[in-house]
Amino acid sequence: MDEDTNVEPMIEFWNIRDEDVCHFHFSDVNIAFEFYNRYARTKSFSARKNRTRKSHAGALKLKNFVCHREGFKPQNNYGIGNLKRKHTPETRCGCSAMMEIRVDAPSGRWFISYFSDKHNHPLLDPRLTGLLPGHRFMFEADIGHMVNMKKGGISVRQIYRALANQTGGYDDVLAFDATYRKNKYMCPLVVFFGVNHHNQTIIFAAALICDEEKDTYRWLLQQLKVAMNGKAPVSVITDGDLSMKFTIEKEFPNAHHRLCAWHLIRNATSNIGKPLFTSMFKNCMLGDYEIDVFRQKWFEMVEGFGIENKNWVLDMHKKRHSWATAHIRGKFFAGFRTTSRCEGLNSIIAKYVNSRYNLVEFIQHFNPCVDHIRWKEVQADLASVNGRPSMQTCFQQLKRSAANVYTLSIFHMFQPILVRAASMKVINMRQTGSYVIYSVGLDRMPNEMWRVFCCDIEMEFNCLCMRMESFGIPCEHIVCVLVHEDIEELPRSLVLPRWTKTAKVGLQNAVGLHWDSLMLSQYSCLMDWFRQLANFACRDNERFIFTREMAMNLLKQFKEEDAAQKELVNDADSVRDACQGTQENIGQKGGFTV
């Protein structure tokens, strides 16, 4: 094969075999690197330039291109408490994949002298490859296209979205909120949302409704259950609206309903009007107390302010199972305490829609907002699988085990737990049947202890603080026991699947978009090449006529082929329908066939 990537757009990168790569040669080093980087994209990694060798006269004679994960990051000594800044994940792992080129002195052309495609790390999902820095660049034709769009009065955000379009069922805690004045018909927008495996806000569904009556909300939740294939959320958080409360109790009777902490604190301020009470009420609500301790603190607070007969106080005590951490402990809320994510989500939506839009325009602008949120999830997917986080705290093996299974965001939430565990110790332990009961506390506060129960046979751990059950990450008390028993790998019972890198494995179209489809990948590739082709063809009239005729002939040919294929499919469907109709008639008349 005698190829030159000066005509690179004509190379079918999707069909190149590894054994064919060495047959290519190039006119200069930059073209060779562009070739290898394009090849890398089809194989789901990225390339970068590496070693260079020059002759005695100073002329370049050898160049290496390597996988983006070649080499190792210099080791740094991170302090245990140095967790304020999240260090860049370690992407280098010593990968040996490489393409080496040498110059042929007589001809001046570059040929491939060595090629290896053996990687020591998993390759990326194809939908994530384009996010690597080595593939995030723009050609001259793309820049010219953007400039022309900007001259036409199109905003940068809309231009970016247009170019992006060209390239391109969790059991969650559920929260829902009605956003007002978002279209000119004053129809509230109801958004159902939760969190994904990166603890990011994710939209499940949205609806425009005409009012906020109980029957409307109930119908809406019924439609949500249909859309979610009958799945009901395990937990729901609201601001206490009575219509929502009634609807949740009817449609999700087994879900845990939590009241928003922020709204309760605001109500405490407006109903009692004493800053000290508000502060004490907040401590009662959010404090990680046993129920007996909560009860004591509540009555001391109420009696101290002389408000034990106030209606709001009586109502709050009656509803304590919906807001007090002491009573909610063990119910999974994925870290939700407030509906603040509603306000944050509303601010994002407001960037895409406004009150001037009619219903059709509203939907057209709302969909890109959903795409933007899902794009953030794809970026988080890449950050979690492309490299590993820096090991900054103690308990290296246990920490590495957590880094291997958790997404990057969840691992960063787990790191402070490791730090707190380092200041704790097992004060006492005793065997009871098949369980071992550990008493865990701080060195400086031995009287305040938590009990951890461990089943040796099943390797199951439970702590009375029940943070594992509430959020799905082991607490510092359990981690302290793991360290005490020299357990260096997180037991399976302590790894909640919804927080792991493999949370979406097996889910069809998990992010709701088709970035990983072959068709859109090929569409993106063709758009890239055709923009470059158009950029050069339009500069010369002969080139323009030639390119136009070629494109028109291909378009005509493909349309005729598709029409013929569609006709064949329709004929086959007609024959099948006729056969089915004959069999149905035979069955109805009691006939038989041989």
Side-chain angles (χ1 to χ4, degrees):
M1 185 180 297
D2 187 18
E3 299 287 349
D4 184 345
T5 49
N6 278 314
V7 291
E8 176 270 335
M10 303 307 294
I11 296 175
E12 297 181 359
F13 282 88
W14 301 99
N15 298 323
I16 290 180
R17 298 177 300 176
D18 294 346
E19 58 267 28
D20 292 335
V21 172
C22 292
H23 296 152
F24 287 86
H25 53 85
F26 317 93
S27 59
D28 62 51
V29 173
N30 292 330
I31 291 178
F33 177 71
E34 183 180 349
F35 167 85
Y36 186 58
N37 201 34
R38 289 294 189 101
Y39 171 84
R41 180 161 187 170
T42 65
K43 298 294 184 178
S44 299
F45 70 99
S46 176
R48 60 182 176 84
K49 299 176 181 178
N50 194 32
R51 190 164 62 96
T52 298
R53 184 181 299 173
K54 295 184 178 181
S55 65
H56 294 296
L60 186 64
K61 69 175 185 178
L62 179 146
K63 188 71 177 179
N64 283 347
F65 308 129
V66 297
C67 171
H68 72 289
R69 301 195 67 177
E70 181 271 345
F72 295 94
K73 183 179 179 180
Q75 293 295 320
N76 295 318
N77 295 322
Y78 299 111
I80 292 179
N82 186 21
L83 294 176
K84 293 183 179 179
R85 181 172 65 89
K86 296 180 181 178
H87 293 271
T88 304
E90 299 173 3
T91 57
R92 305 285 185 89
C93 62
C95 181
S96 60
M98 179 179 68
M99 186 178 88
E100 179 183 274
I101 60 172
R102 293 176 182 266
V103 67
D104 177 59
S107 66
R109 297 185 68 81
W110 292 83
F111 65 94
I112 299 174
S113 58
Y114 176 80
F115 180 82
S116 173
D117 203 36
K118 295 181 179 179
H119 300 263
N120 67 347
H121 56 90
L123 295 176
L124 293 176
D125 187 310
R127 70 191 174 91
L128 303 178
T129 309
L131 298 180
L132 293 174
H135 296 309
R136 301 189 70 178
F137 57 87
M138 296 184 68
F139 291 100
E140 180 184 350
D142 296 320
I143 297 174
H145 186 44
M146 289 189 67
V147 171
N148 289 333
M149 294 174 73
K150 197 169 188 304
K151 288 180 179 178
I154 303 175
S155 68
V156 174
R157 187 181 68 190
Q158 292 172 323
I159 294 173
Y160 179 82
R161 191 186 310 160
L163 293 179
N165 288 338
Q166 290 179 354
T167 60
Y170 301 96
D171 297 328
D172 281 335
V173 175
L174 177 72
F176 69 100
D177 180 53
T179 304
Y180 293 89
R181 296 179 175 85
K182 292 302 181 185
N183 56 78
K184 69 179 183 180
Y185 298 107
M186 304 302 290
C187 296
L189 170 70
V190 178
V191 179
F192 298 90
F193 66 93
V195 292
N196 61 13
H197 53 311
H198 302 290
N199 200 32
Q200 297 173 317
T201 301
I202 180 173
I203 293 178
F204 291 124
L208 290 167
I209 57 177
C210 58
D211 57 56
E212 295 183 87
E213 299 298 325
K214 293 179 181 179
D215 291 342
T216 302
Y217 275 136
R218 188 168 186 181
W219 173 87
L220 192 57
L221 291 190
Q222 289 171 351
Q223 300 308 308
L224 176 67
K225 286 196 293 186
V226 172
M228 299 295 287
N229 294 325
K231 282 189 176 182
V234 295
S235 304
V236 181
I237 181 169
T238 72
D239 61 2
D241 180 85
L242 293 179
S243 296
M244 292 183 183
K245 181 177 183 299
F246 170 82
T247 305
I248 292 168
E249 290 175 350
K250 293 296 182 181
E251 296 302 324
F252 301 141
N254 298 320
H256 309 304
H257 183 197
R258 180 169 187 164
L259 298 175
C260 170
W262 183 84
H263 284 87
L264 292 180
I265 292 173
R266 186 183 64 176
N267 291 341
T269 302
S270 60
N271 281 276
I272 306 302
K274 298 180 180 179
L276 181 58
F277 172 83
T278 301
S279 176
M280 295 179 68
F281 174 77
K282 180 179 178 180
N283 290 334
C284 279
M285 176 171 55
L286 303 180
D288 200 2
Y289 307 125
E290 294 283 1
I291 291 180
D292 291 341
V293 176
F294 167 80
R295 184 185 300 114
Q296 178 183 352
K297 288 183 174 292
W298 174 263
F299 286 115
E300 287 178 355
M301 175 185 68
V302 171
E303 292 174 359
F305 285 92
I307 54 175
E308 53 267 32
N309 294 322
K310 192 170 182 64
N311 290 336
W312 183 84
V313 173
L314 294 173
D315 185 53
M316 283 297 98
H317 186 260
K318 182 180 178 181
K319 296 177 179 177
R320 62 190 181 278
H321 295 278
S322 298
W323 56 265
T325 300
H327 289 278
I328 292 176
R329 183 185 294 122
K331 297 178 175 63
F332 185 76
F333 280 96
F336 276 60
R337 285 180 171 176
T338 72
T339 58
S340 60
R341 288 188 186 244
C342 291
E343 283 71 32
L345 182 61
N346 291 346
S347 66
I348 295 175
I349 295 174
K351 296 178 180 179
Y352 289 83
V353 300
N354 60 58
S355 58
R356 299 191 307 272
Y357 294 153
N358 60 34
L359 297 183
V360 175
E361 293 171 333
F362 182 89
I363 296 299
Q364 289 174 341
H365 286 80
F366 179 73
N367 285 337
C369 175
V370 177
D371 287 346
H372 168 77
I373 293 172
R374 290 173 175 170
W375 173 250
K376 292 295 183 182
E377 179 177 333
V378 173
Q379 291 178 312
D381 284 342
L382 174 66
S384 292
V385 299
N386 186 38
R388 63 185 182 187
S390 302
M391 301 290 108
Q392 304 172 33
T393 59
C394 48
F395 314 140
Q396 291 290 326
Q397 293 301 320
L398 191 60
K399 181 169 44 184
R400 198 171 302 279
S401 170
N404 288 337
V405 296
Y406 288 139
T407 61
L408 187 61
S409 300
I410 301 303
F411 176 78
H412 285 317
M413 299 176 72
F414 182 64
Q415 277 191 308
I417 295 175
L418 291 171
V419 176
R420 293 197 296 269
S423 63
M424 293 188 164
K425 68 176 182 179
V426 174
I427 298 174
N428 184 32
M429 58 180 292
R430 59 187 175 90
Q431 184 85 32
T432 303
S434 60
Y435 285 89
V436 180
I437 304 177
Y438 300 85
S439 296
V440 179
L442 294 169
D443 287 335
R444 63 183 183 275
M445 302 175 66
N447 295 327
E448 294 187 13
M449 295 184 295
W450 290 97
R451 284 181 293 171
V452 176
F453 299 81
C454 172
C455 177
D456 289 336
I457 301 175
E458 303 293 336
M459 282 296 289
E460 292 183 352
F461 297 82
N462 300 95
C463 180
L464 289 182
C465 75
M466 301 188 79
R467 275 182 239 159
M468 176 67 199
E469 290 79 2
S470 300
F471 187 70
I473 296 181
C475 61
E476 56 266 31
H477 318 120
I478 292 179
V479 172
C480 179
V481 172
L482 296 179
V483 175
H484 182 269
E485 296 297 332
D486 294 325
I487 299 175
E488 297 182 341
E489 185 172 346
L490 280 178
R492 183 174 298 181
S493 62
L494 295 178
V495 178
L496 191 66
R498 62 137 29 253
W499 296 138
T500 66
K501 298 175 184 178
T502 59
K504 297 190 296 183
V505 172
L507 295 179
Q508 185 178 6
N509 193 21
V511 296
L513 299 178
H514 300 274
W515 288 318
D516 56 339
S517 70
L518 177 61
M519 185 182 72
L520 278 190
S521 297
Q522 292 176 335
Y523 177 84
S524 168
C525 191
L526 287 174
M527 287 296 296
D528 178 18
W529 291 337
F530 288 157
R531 282 197 300 272
Q532 294 184 66
L533 182 63
N535 187 45
F536 286 100
C538 67
R539 300 176 184 179
D540 181 86
N541 192 53
E542 291 184 3
R543 286 182 181 178
F544 167 74
I545 295 174
F546 172 78
T547 305
R548 182 192 63 187
E549 295 301 321
M550 181 181 65
M552 294 300 294
N553 290 335
L554 284 175
L555 183 61
K556 180 181 178 181
Q557 176 186 337
F558 292 161
K559 283 184 175 180
E560 291 175 351
E561 290 176 355
D562 281 5
Q565 183 65 29
K566 185 177 181 181
E567 186 175 347
L568 288 175
V569 172
N570 291 336
D571 291 342
D573 290 340
S574 299
V575 172
R576 183 172 60 251
D577 293 341
C579 291
Q580 290 176 349
T582 302
Q583 291 173 355
E584 290 172 359
N585 291 334
I586 290 174
Q588 292 171 359
K589 297 178 181 178
F592 64 93
T593 59
V594 178

